[in-house]
């Protein structure tokens, strides 16, 4: 992965967009894994893929976000300009509109039940955006939007490796239920990475959704995993009612949450030193949300 610094971003901006060369460049407080984001002045942000595998996501966002922005009840980071590879940076990159707010991950004033309602409304609106303008799910979306069985081999490996750590029978039962149905309708838009770091809040309310690098059209079940990774108790019921999807969809969503928890605990995914996915697995096994 490339070491992307503020100095590198300043040089790229100065070379390709001299009208912004006088604006300060500062890294955002918390960075994602796929891309690096920097503030450019008060109203812009620069988003750069950290490795070649993430380049397609930036191009896809630049193409799709203007479409989605017209159909969602909250803002998304609309592209302003697209930069070209430079002498010290080999990939295209993007300049976006900066969206104010704190992520749900760090915000301290979030009304969780209201967030459940607001997020459900956003996902409902996302599903009715024109699907013919979106890319079909696949490798570019890390197979989000596909059937969860695409990761069956990883689940089987994780359960073998974790046989002495997790309740294999309970996990297998959840996984088996996830595989018994498929999305029965025409493909719809999904975000692909609905997580606390990709939701912004202002005054405790959902104010924006960011990071659409794994978006596409397909099965929306993958967008429901926050039911187990964030919401608790009655909040899940509020979320489920606001989303308005079938019980079969929720079984596949539970499978997506199970897969991520298992592969992370088994060391097949990114490190999780704080045990976030271990706690999520407990919630997945305890609550089907829609039974």
């Amino acid at each position: 992965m490339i070491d992307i610094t503020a100095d590198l971003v300043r040089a790229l901006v100065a070379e390709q967009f001299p009208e912004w060369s006088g604006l300060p460049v500062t890294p955002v407080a918390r960075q994602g894994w796929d891309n690096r984001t920097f503030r450019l002045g008060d109203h812009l942000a620069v988003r750069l893929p950290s490795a070649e595998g993430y380049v397609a996501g930036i191009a896809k966002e630049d193409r799709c976000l203007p479409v989605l922005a017209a159909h969602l009840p909250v803002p998304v980071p609309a592209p302003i300009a697209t930069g070209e590879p430079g002498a010290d940076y080999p990939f295209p990159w993007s300049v976006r509109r900066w969206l104010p707010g704190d992520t749900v991950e760090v915000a301290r004033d979030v009304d969780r039940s209201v967030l459940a309602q607001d997020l459900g409304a956003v996902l409902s609106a996302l599903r009715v955006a024109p699907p013919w303008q979106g890319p079909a799910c696949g490798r570019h979306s890390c197979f989000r939007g596909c059937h969860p069985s695409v990761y069956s081999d990883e689940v089987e490996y994780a359960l073998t490796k974790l046989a002495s750590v997790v309740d294999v029978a309970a996990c297998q039962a959840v996984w088996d239920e996830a595989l018994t149905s498929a999305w029965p309708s025409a493909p719809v838009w999904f975000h692909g990475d609905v997580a606390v770091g990709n939701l912004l809040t202002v005054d405790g309310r959902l104010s924006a959704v960011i990071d659409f690098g794994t978006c596409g059209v397909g099965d929306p079940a993958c967008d429901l995993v926050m039911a187990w990774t964030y919401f608790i108790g009655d909040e899940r019921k509020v979320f489920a009612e606001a989303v308005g999807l079938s019980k079969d969809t929720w079984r596949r969503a539970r499978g997506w949450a199970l897969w991520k928890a298992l592969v992370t605990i088994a060391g097949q995914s990114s490190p999780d030193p704080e045990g976030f996915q271990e706690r999520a697995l407990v919630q997945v096994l305890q609550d089907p949300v829609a039974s």
Side-chain angles (χ1 to χ4, degrees):
M1 301 182 79
I2 297 174
D3 183 22
I4 303 172
T5 66
D7 287 340
L8 173 62
V9 175
R10 289 188 193 97
L12 288 170
V13 170
E15 177 185 2
Q16 300 185 33
F17 302 106
E19 66 273 27
W20 297 327
S21 61
L23 299 177
V25 175
T26 54
V28 300
R30 290 179 180 244
Q31 293 282 3
W33 182 262
D34 300 356
N35 301 276
R36 299 291 179 265
T37 303
F38 295 77
R39 289 198 69 169
L40 179 60
D42 293 330
H43 304 294
L44 300 175
V46 178
R47 186 164 166 83
L48 308 96
S50 59
E52 185 173 5
Y54 306 127
V55 171
I58 290 288
K60 178 173 60 176
E61 285 184 305
D62 280 359
R63 184 175 71 256
C64 295
L65 284 174
V67 174
L68 297 178
H71 295 276
L72 297 182
V74 296
V76 297
I80 303 299
T82 300
E84 300 295 329
D88 296 314
Y89 183 75
F91 309 131
W93 48 283
S94 181
V95 180
R96 311 280 177 83
R97 186 73 63 193
W98 174 259
L99 296 174
D102 295 322
T103 65
V104 170
E105 185 177 20
V106 301
R108 296 288 177 255
D109 57 350
V110 175
D111 185 320
R112 296 165 63 100
S113 292
V114 173
L115 176 65
Q117 179 69 46
D118 290 348
L119 180 58
V122 168
L123 296 180
S124 295
L126 182 62
R127 296 199 308 272
V128 297
W132 57 86
Q133 295 178 285
C137 56
R139 188 175 301 277
H140 69 90
S141 65
C142 299
F143 300 105
R144 272 37 168 220
C146 298
H147 196 270
S149 60
V150 72
Y151 284 123
S152 287
D153 56 340
E154 293 189 2
V155 171
E156 291 172 3
Y157 174 83
L159 289 177
T160 300
K161 185 174 181 179
L162 300 173
S164 62
V165 178
V166 303
D167 186 336
V168 173
C171 291
Q172 190 66 59
V174 171
W175 188 245
D176 289 346
E177 279 205 344
L179 304 188
T180 58
S181 68
W183 180 244
S185 305
V188 296
W189 277 99
F190 60 87
H191 177 280
D193 191 14
V194 178
V196 292
N198 293 331
L199 305 175
L200 300 184
T201 67
V202 171
D203 296 329
R205 295 292 299 268
L206 182 65
S207 61
V209 179
I210 61 175
D211 198 349
F212 282 76
T214 52
C215 74
V217 294
D219 178 358
C222 60
D223 279 349
L224 307 182
V225 297
M226 269 188 59
W228 298 277
T229 60
Y230 179 77
F231 297 121
I232 58 175
D234 288 342
E235 298 162 8
R236 293 185 184 127
K237 297 178 182 179
V238 173
F239 183 47
E241 291 176 1
V243 166
L245 286 167
S246 69
K247 292 179 180 179
D248 280 344
T249 303
W250 278 99
R251 294 186 185 105
R252 295 192 304 279
R254 197 180 182 199
W256 277 107
L258 177 79
W259 160 74
K260 185 61 176 180
L262 289 177
V263 298
T264 302
I265 298 168
Q268 298 163 259
S269 185
S270 53
D272 185 22
E274 298 180 357
F276 175 81
Q277 290 296 343
E278 292 180 11
R279 295 189 295 276
L281 179 60
V282 172
Q283 299 302 314
V284 169
L285 295 180
Q286 286 181 348
D287 189 355
V289 180
S291 56

